Amino acid sequence: MYANFRQYLTGWGEQVRATGITDHFRSGLAQPQFNGVVRLRRPAEAGEAVTAAGEALAGVPWWWWVGQDSPVGTREALTRHGMTELGTLPVMARPLDRLGPAPRTPEGVRIVPEAGPGLLAEVVRVYSRSMGAVPGIEPDLARIEARRADNGVIDRLAALDEGRVIGTATVISAYGVAGIFLVHVAEEYRRRGIGAALTDAALRAGRDRGMRHAALVASPAGEPLYQHLEFTTVSEYHLFAPPAP
């Protein structure tokens, strides 16, 4: 599961994608979700790692993700070396061998099982606005998406209303897990069941690729939706911000 998540995150590393003391990635975009450190290998080297990450990621906002694949003591070590814990995000999972009937979508809305290159720019537009990304980064996001080395195992789903993209979901099928990311619905279409329909379609895309389990990192607000879809909270990520310059 965490290997799947690391693949997703490091896939944004257009400028830097490195392993050593840490696994880290740099897209160069002014958005912390797309630059960061995924894993510290040895807590005893936290001081060196914080300094090295600061140098490698200078000039862009970034986060440090601490999960169950991080060695014991990582959070405490990062705190000692000036990192600030921002909060936690639930990690949720469920098996793919017992999917029920697909949820209904509003009349006129359909889920496209593979949003090809022609829809990529619209998919990026919807999720970047939904996540509150800084204006103007959509073309660079779309370029990085199109060039990801793991595109062969990615399904990009789109919810369409009269041909217009109104919702998105991305599935990476790797390490036996369907990792679900970027589930977003345009603000004016929320609370209509579209997010649930996109997530269900993502589960089926992963199952069709032979994956046995699905997993995602939820926002606290999204956790109840995923519980309704039979996801169980199994762990959490702790997000850290770097020391002030």
Side-chain angles (χ1 to χ4, degrees), residues 1-14 16-17 19 23-25 33-34 37-39 65 69 144-145 148-156 170-181 209 211 237:
M1 182 176 68
Y2 281 96
N4 185 295
F5 293 165
R6 286 196 301 274
Q7 176 171 317
Y8 166 72
L9 290 168
T10 57
W12 295 104
E14 182 181 48
V16 175
R17 179 179 174 179
T19 59
D23 295 349
H24 67 273
F25 60 101
Q33 289 95 327
F34 305 121
V37 176
V38 184
R39 179 174 54 165
W65 298 73
D69 58 340
I144 295 171
E145 286 264 32
R148 284 187 65 114
D150 55 358
N151 270 332
V153 296
I154 291 179
D155 292 292
R156 294 182 178 88
T170 293
V171 189
I172 294 183
S173 297
Y175 303 98
V177 173
I180 301 175
F181 308 94
R209 284 185 178 261
M211 301 299 101
Y237 265 120

Side-chain angles (χ1 to χ4, degrees), residues 100-145:
R104 296 182 62 182
T105 56
E107 184 177 354
V109 174
R110 61 189 180 94
I111 307 297
V112 178
E114 176 55 49
L119 289 178
L120 183 57
E122 284 297 294
V123 166
V124 169
R125 176 189 61 81
V126 169
Y127 76 63
S128 64
R129 291 184 183 181
S130 176
M131 69 168 54
V134 295
I137 71 170
E138 291 93 342
D140 288 325
L141 272 173
R143 186 191 69 251
I144 295 171
E145 286 264 32

Side-chain angles (χ1 to χ4, degrees), residues 148-234:
R148 284 187 65 114
D150 55 358
N151 270 332
V153 296
I154 291 179
D155 292 292
R156 294 182 178 88
L157 313 179
L160 302 182
D161 181 18
E162 297 184 352
R164 173 173 170 259
V165 178
I166 60 168
T168 71
T170 293
V171 189
I172 294 183
S173 297
Y175 303 98
V177 173
I180 301 175
F181 308 94
L182 297 174
V183 180
H184 289 278
V185 178
E187 185 174 3
E188 63 270 29
Y189 286 88
R190 293 174 186 168
R191 300 178 185 86
R192 302 186 190 180
I194 298 171
L198 281 162
T199 305
D200 179 81
L203 295 173
R204 295 173 193 278
R207 184 189 61 182
D208 290 347
R209 284 185 178 261
M211 301 299 101
R212 299 176 59 189
H213 294 86
L216 52 80
V217 181
S219 66
E223 192 171 7
L225 165 65
Y226 299 122
Q227 288 173 337
H228 180 71
L229 294 173
E230 299 186 23
F231 281 85
T232 300
T233 300
V234 296

Side-chain angles (χ1 to χ4, degrees), residues 24-71:
H24 67 273
F25 60 101
R26 177 185 174 125
S27 70
L29 304 178
Q31 194 70 25
Q33 289 95 327
F34 305 121
N35 311 282
V37 176
V38 184
R39 179 174 54 165
L40 172 66
R41 297 183 183 279
R42 295 174 290 277
E45 298 176 320
E48 180 183 351
V50 169
T51 299
E55 293 172 353
L57 300 170
V60 294
W62 57 279
W63 289 335
W64 195 306
W65 298 73
V66 179
Q68 275 197 335
D69 58 340
S70 302

